[in-house]
Amino acid sequence: MESVKQEQHANQLARGGLLDRFFKLTEHRTTIKTELLAGLTTFVTMAYIIFVNPNIMATAGIDHGAAFVATCIGAALGCFLMGLYANWPVGLAPGMGLNAFFTYTVVGEMGYSWQIALGAVFISGVLFMIMSLSKIREWLLNSIPMSLRFAMGAGVGLFLGLIGLKTAGIVVDSPATLLTMGSFSNPSALLAAVCFLLIAVLSHRNVFGAILFSMLGVTAIGWALGLVEYGGLVSMPPNLAPTFLAMDIAGAFNVAMISVILAFLFVNMFDTAGTLMGVAHRANLVDEDGKIQNLSKALKADSTSSVVGAMVGCPPVTSYVESAAGVAAGGRTGLTAITVGLLFLAAMFFAPLAGMIPAYATAGALIYVAMLMMSGMAHIDWKDHTDTIPAIVTVVMMPLTFSIANGIALGFLTYATLKLLTGQSDKVSLSLYALCVIFIAKFAFL
């Protein structure tokens, strides 16, 4: 017995040594236990996407079960890429806002099939990969004004918030005023508001997994009121076949889809860059010279994740700012990301639970996440109207035109026009001029 225990202890040390060498745990002053706990923390803070994304994608006509499995697999593969290749403690999953743009604008308003929309996601991911492998990424990132970068994130948030309010029935259509207040006598509207407020309160109090547990809590209330039908908790994962390699790439090679592809690309790229840089500083991945360790690898892992995600049936897979929770818990290496990925795979067996989550619980989470995304407006220079007006146009026009692409296009055109007419043409880059030409052609001929 003693020899068996010694052999088991030796094996544990060997495994620990292997993980230590691969993920450089000692170098980053962390341990296996800390990384595993950090991974669990990150997963719980972002696990709401498992329930939110399938509901949104199902509205586009995608099989809910397949969308659920695709969400789990796409997120897991993205986490594995980030952990194994970049050695970063960042979790990835289908992007909030981009999934809404996919469903409500590209499929709903523009009338494209979800297969073509996935084709556009695939193409934008390939473009992101190419840019990440070259200096084009830095050139394009630097050429877009900071005010417009912040405005894009805030605009996506406002767009997401409007969808959440509409889904809940808190905001409804009106022939007289276009939009008006819904009735809180409607259980869906009331429970969505309760979910939103519960998330806000728990998040303020730093409660572990505030969004996830608020959604589950409101679902339980719905079940008690007879609004939710219990369908079980655990089962074998649904079939992925309806979405696996279902993207229509040829159909996405359409002039009208250029703005859609660019919208997927820009929002994903700037959101990723901001998230990764923020997490890097929190995780002490910045050296003495201010250079971020393995940032290029992290961007490549993120861009590759969008391509892989499209292949299984996901909107753009991107890095999640919720990873900061895991970093705060001590996560410093890719072992944290690997842990998140494994938990996403394990979540595939909870499909019945995902199918029970009602739209009002999803709506409450959407509204809360939207509020967080609006914070980027605080970083805009409000003294220069040639910066603030284009930013406001971008933010306002995304929800009012129900299109992220239109918001970006109108914001860019407003920026270039104001700078030209106020004698500041030197602040407009060549790439921005080129994009404006594309956007003008889109509005003129499509």
Side-chain angles (χ1 to χ4, degrees):
M1 288 292 294
E2 186 66 28
S3 61
V4 171
K5 289 182 179 179
Q6 290 178 352
E7 183 178 351
Q8 290 177 343
H9 182 63
N11 290 336
Q12 290 175 355
L13 290 175
R15 287 195 297 270
L18 179 62
L19 291 174
D20 191 352
R21 290 192 296 273
F22 187 85
F23 292 107
K24 301 179 181 178
L25 301 178
T26 302
E27 181 181 325
H28 289 89
R29 299 180 181 179
T30 185
T31 64
I32 294 176
K33 180 181 178 181
T34 299
E35 294 293 299
L36 295 179
L37 289 174
L40 175 62
T41 302
T42 296
F43 173 77
V44 172
T45 59
M46 61 185 290
Y48 64 88
I49 194 64
I50 297 172
F51 309 114
V52 175
N53 194 60
N55 283 355
I56 293 177
M57 300 299 281
T59 305
I62 298 177
D63 177 78
H64 188 280
F68 169 75
V69 175
T71 299
C72 295
I73 292 179
L77 293 175
C79 292
F80 294 155
L81 281 169
M82 185 64 72
L84 295 174
Y85 179 66
N87 197 26
W88 271 45
V90 174
L92 292 89
M96 290 292 289
L98 290 174
N99 51 8
F101 176 60
F102 179 104
T103 293
Y104 297 103
T105 299
V106 183
V107 177
E109 186 173 324
M110 299 178 70
Y112 288 99
S113 68
W114 60 264
Q115 291 90 342
I116 291 178
L118 278 178
V121 171
F122 181 85
I123 294 171
S124 69
V126 171
L127 291 175
F128 193 7
M129 282 182 61
I130 294 172
M131 293 169 62
S132 298
L133 294 170
S134 66
K135 294 183 177 180
I136 299 176
R137 182 195 70 239
E138 295 180 13
W139 173 69
L140 191 57
L141 280 172
N142 293 331
S143 66
I144 306 299
M146 289 298 296
S147 59
L148 292 181
R149 298 187 209 179
F150 289 123
M152 280 191 279
V156 170
L158 198 57
F159 176 64
L160 199 61
L162 178 60
I163 291 170
L165 293 169
K166 176 177 176 290
T167 301
I170 297 174
V171 170
V172 297
D173 64 321
S174 167
T177 60
L178 189 63
L179 294 176
T180 190
M181 174 78 78
S183 174
F184 281 101
S185 62
N186 177 3
S188 293
L190 182 59
L191 287 173
V194 169
C195 185
F196 163 69
L197 293 173
L198 186 58
I199 294 171
V201 170
L202 294 181
S203 296
H204 176 73
R205 294 181 177 276
N206 296 317
V207 174
F208 184 65
I211 297 179
L212 175 64
F213 293 127
S214 296
M215 291 177 64
L216 293 176
V218 170
T219 300
I221 294 174
W223 173 73
L225 295 174
L227 302 175
V228 174
E229 184 177 349
Y230 180 75
L233 296 177
V234 180
S235 72
M236 291 300 294
N239 191 357
L240 182 64
T243 60
F244 184 66
L245 297 179
M247 65 273 192
D248 184 355
I249 300 174
F253 277 105
N254 184 312
V255 177
M257 291 295 286
I258 292 177
S259 63
V260 171
I261 293 170
L262 290 177
F264 279 134
L265 175 62
F266 288 152
V267 174
N268 192 6
M269 181 171 61
F270 290 116
D271 181 59
T272 295
T275 297
L276 291 180
M277 286 188 283
V279 171
H281 285 280
R282 290 187 179 95
N284 297 322
L285 295 174
V286 183
D287 60 24
E288 296 178 355
D289 299 324
K291 185 178 179 181
I292 299 176
Q293 303 171 20
N294 289 339
L295 177 59
S296 178
K297 284 188 174 182
L299 285 167
K300 291 172 185 174
D302 189 287
S303 59
T304 305
S305 298
S306 288
V307 176
V308 175
M311 295 172 70
V312 297
C314 287
V317 174
T318 187
S319 300
Y320 264 54
V321 71
E322 284 84 352
S323 302
V327 170
R332 293 293 181 271
T333 73
L335 184 55
T336 293
I338 297 298
T339 304
V340 177
L342 290 173
L343 290 171
F344 268 116
L345 290 181
M348 289 193 299
F349 295 93
F350 291 87
L353 176 61
M356 287 169 55
I357 302 297
Y360 52 78
T362 299
L366 289 178
I367 298 168
Y368 177 75
V369 173
M371 301 297 178
L372 296 184
M373 295 178 71
M374 289 291 293
S375 63
M377 294 295 285
H379 302 290
I380 295 173
D381 181 8
W382 292 90
K383 297 178 182 179
D384 187 347
H385 288 179
T386 60
D387 277 340
T388 56
I389 291 175
I392 293 170
V393 168
T394 302
V395 172
V396 171
M397 295 309 288
M398 281 189 189
L400 292 185
T401 63
F402 223 65
S403 171
I404 292 174
N406 286 339
I408 292 174
L410 292 170
F412 280 28
L413 288 171
T414 304
Y415 181 89
T417 301
L418 289 180
K419 292 298 183 182
L420 281 173
L421 297 181
T422 56
Q424 304 178 69
S425 58
D426 58 313
K427 294 185 178 180
V428 184
S429 63
L430 290 176
S431 59
L432 193 57
Y433 279 126
L435 291 172
C436 286
V437 170
I438 294 173
F439 292 140
I440 290 172
K442 172 187 180 295
F443 289 129
F445 303 110
L446 300 176

